[in-house]
Amino acid sequence: MRVLGVETSCDETGLAVYDEQDGLLAHVLHSQADLHAQWGGVVPELASRDHVIRLIPLLGQVLRDRKGGPPVDGVAYTAGPGLAGALLTGAAFARSLAWTWQVPAVGIHHMEGHLLAPMLEDEPPEFPFLALLVSGGHTMLVDVSGLGRYRILGETRDDAVGEAFDKTAKMLGLGYPGGPEVARLALEGRAGAVDFPRPMTARPGLDFSFSGLKTAVLRATENDAAAPADIARGFEDAVVDTLAIKCRRALEQTGHGTLVVAGGVGANARLCARLRADCAAAAVRVCYPRGEFCTDNGAMIAYAGLLRLAAGEKEPAVFGARPRWPLDELKAAGKTERCT
């Protein structure tokens, strides 16, 4: 089976072709970061319009780059969660292709795509495992026992960690997207110069909260005595400590021997180093997708779509999008028709 994946959940347009036997044949990605930078964040209407402009040229590129031409055996697209207009743009495009090529189509949960992104690597993790999903819209710990068999152990009660990075960058006068900018500035900061709280680590449980940490950063920026680089370092250290503590607790609770880290914040170098060290000390394997697959991309959607289609899933001609779609509402893969 050979599947085309289409990702348009937010501000990145990604297309990829994944083959059951030969693996990833081609993938292309267009980022709208420059488009939204002047606004300091994603403007939903601009994101939707840019997806419309990019999808057909990118399709031509991904089909030229792959070994062979259309048709594919199936089309997978991100059906949610995400920005409503952006999701509908991708869904309409993908369903049109599936109708034209007379192949089945399946809508994929965006976070399932991230969960499965490490499967694109040469030494993929095996079920079951613990997953840390950290992105601009999500922060959660998930017990993964199989495709569609996800149990959320803890999640943020307010802001996602990626959003906290973006807001911190804005308070420090840095550019968008904020995560890489804060990490870059933190390299110049002094460890311990500014000490921020580690939210919800002094109490039991696996939930997260980052709104209080953002408030602490705001107060620090209003204090002229604190250097911006020291604030960035203090913030990053607080985030890394918090995520590492919660991961350790979750690993002890589940007894899993593998930790999967996915989502854009998973590319943070300091977080990667800390989790690798902690997991090595506990004899736990830690798996990451390569950097280009940490952020949103079509390859993870194509792979997830391959698994769902191979299990016999397909969608009726009616389609839609789910801007809000809890991960634990997904069902285990099976031969059932569904409409998102």
Side-chain angles (χ1 to χ4, degrees):
M1 181 177 290
R2 185 170 288 184
V3 176
L4 171 72
V6 180
E7 156 61 24
T8 62
S9 65
C10 190
D11 63 336
E12 286 163 319
T13 314
L15 282 83
V17 176
Y18 193 92
D19 186 274
E20 189 171 13
Q21 292 186 342
D22 298 329
L24 185 63
L25 299 182
H27 72 98
V28 291
L29 182 70
H30 173 77
S31 172
Q32 300 176 6
D34 292 342
L35 175 65
H36 300 286
Q38 59 182 312
W39 309 105
V42 178
V43 180
E45 178 62 24
L46 294 180
S48 301
R49 292 180 183 182
D50 200 65
H51 287 312
V52 171
I53 295 170
R54 307 292 176 180
L55 278 167
I56 291 178
L58 290 178
L59 176 67
Q61 185 177 341
V62 78
L63 293 180
R64 282 197 304 270
D65 289 349
R66 54 158 284 201
K67 302 170 183 177
V72 293
D73 302 302
V75 179
Y77 61 93
T78 303
L83 301 176
L87 290 169
L88 285 170
T89 299
F93 177 75
R95 287 310 309 246
S96 298
L97 292 177
W99 181 85
T100 300
W101 293 335
Q102 293 297 291
V103 296
V106 63
I108 298 299
H109 193 291
H110 181 71
M111 298 315 293
E112 179 170 71
H114 278 302
L115 271 176
L116 299 176
M119 304 291 189
L120 296 166
E121 302 306 314
D122 293 335
E123 297 181 2
E126 296 181 357
F127 300 120
F129 55 78
L130 174 71
L132 173 67
L133 295 180
V134 279
S135 67
H138 300 83
T139 303
M140 61 178 69
L141 285 161
V142 185
D143 186 347
V144 180
S145 54
L147 181 63
R149 299 167 61 190
Y150 312 130
R151 182 167 63 96
I152 298 176
L153 304 175
E155 57 188 332
T156 183
R157 295 186 177 182
D158 40 60
D159 302 323
V161 65
E163 181 184 358
F165 265 102
D166 287 340
K167 295 291 178 60
T168 295
K170 194 168 185 178
M171 287 185 278
L172 292 173
L174 303 177
Y176 173 85
E181 294 296 321
V182 171
R184 210 170 288 123
L185 182 61
L187 293 173
E188 304 172 12
R190 299 169 296 164
V194 180
D195 186 29
F196 289 120
R198 276 58 174 164
M200 300 184 70
T201 56
R203 66 180 77 173
L206 297 174
D207 283 343
F208 302 90
S209 173
F210 294 101
S211 61
L213 179 56
K214 288 195 313 182
T215 301
V217 171
L218 176 62
R219 290 172 178 167
T221 59
E222 294 172 344
N223 180 2
D224 294 336
D230 291 339
I231 295 174
R233 176 63 185 270
F235 168 79
E236 188 178 52
D237 284 346
V239 167
V240 169
D241 282 350
T242 300
L243 295 176
I245 290 169
K246 297 289 184 172
C247 284
R248 184 171 65 248
R249 288 182 186 175
L251 286 167
E252 292 171 353
Q253 178 177 314
T254 61
H256 289 322
T258 302
L259 171 67
V260 162
V261 184
V265 180
N268 180 277
R270 205 179 301 277
L271 176 62
C272 290
R274 172 65 180 275
L275 292 178
R276 287 189 190 281
D278 287 359
C279 287
V284 170
R285 182 187 180 197
V286 60
C287 299
Y288 296 87
R290 72 196 79 167
E292 60 191 317
F293 296 149
C294 283
T295 56
D296 297 348
N297 63 88
M300 67 182 190
I301 303 303
Y303 181 78
L306 172 70
L307 298 185
R308 291 279 178 180
L309 289 167
E313 291 193 24
K314 62 178 181 179
E315 307 232 353
V318 177
F319 68 92
R322 296 186 62 176
R324 297 183 181 275
W325 189 3
L327 181 64
D328 52 8
E329 288 187 5
L330 273 179
K331 295 180 180 179
K335 295 186 178 182
T336 57
E337 284 198 359
R338 59 190 176 89
C339 179
T340 52

